[in-house]
Amino acid sequence: MRERLEREYELELLATMPSVEFDITLTNGQQLEVAQCLRNMPDRATIEEIREPFIQASIIARKSSSGR
């Protein structure tokens, strides 16, 4: 997909792994922040709630690609 976008639309794309911190509440009430790596997650049985950040975004683009 990346190669096709670069070729067809003459774009330079930079693709990286997202960096996300999860806010976790454990069943004992303890609060944790866990970086993106799932292997850092506590045992599923001890997790009460997981929250992660999100954004609401709009993408504005031309109606046609013929005007490059």
Side-chain angles (χ1 to χ4, degrees):
M1 177 188 237
R2 176 183 173 177
E3 186 251 320
R4 182 177 177 192
L5 287 170
E6 289 176 334
R7 183 182 68 243
E8 290 184 16
Y9 297 100
E10 299 173 8
L11 298 173
E12 288 185 35
L13 300 176
L14 175 64
T16 61
M17 292 295 294
S19 179
V20 176
E21 284 191 4
F22 298 95
D23 292 325
I24 299 174
T25 303
L26 300 179
T27 53
N28 66 5
Q30 183 181 358
Q31 301 284 323
L32 300 175
E33 285 186 4
V34 176
Q36 69 194 35
C37 187
L38 293 178
R39 69 176 164 246
N40 294 335
M41 288 286 193
D43 181 35
R44 291 173 126 184
T46 65
I47 297 175
E48 177 77 28
E49 181 181 35
I50 299 176
R51 293 173 306 281
E52 65 179 294
F54 66 94
I55 63 168
Q56 182 175 352
S58 298
I59 298 175
I60 302 169
R62 293 186 294 247
K63 290 183 179 183
S64 169
S65 63
S66 61
R68 328 184 228 184

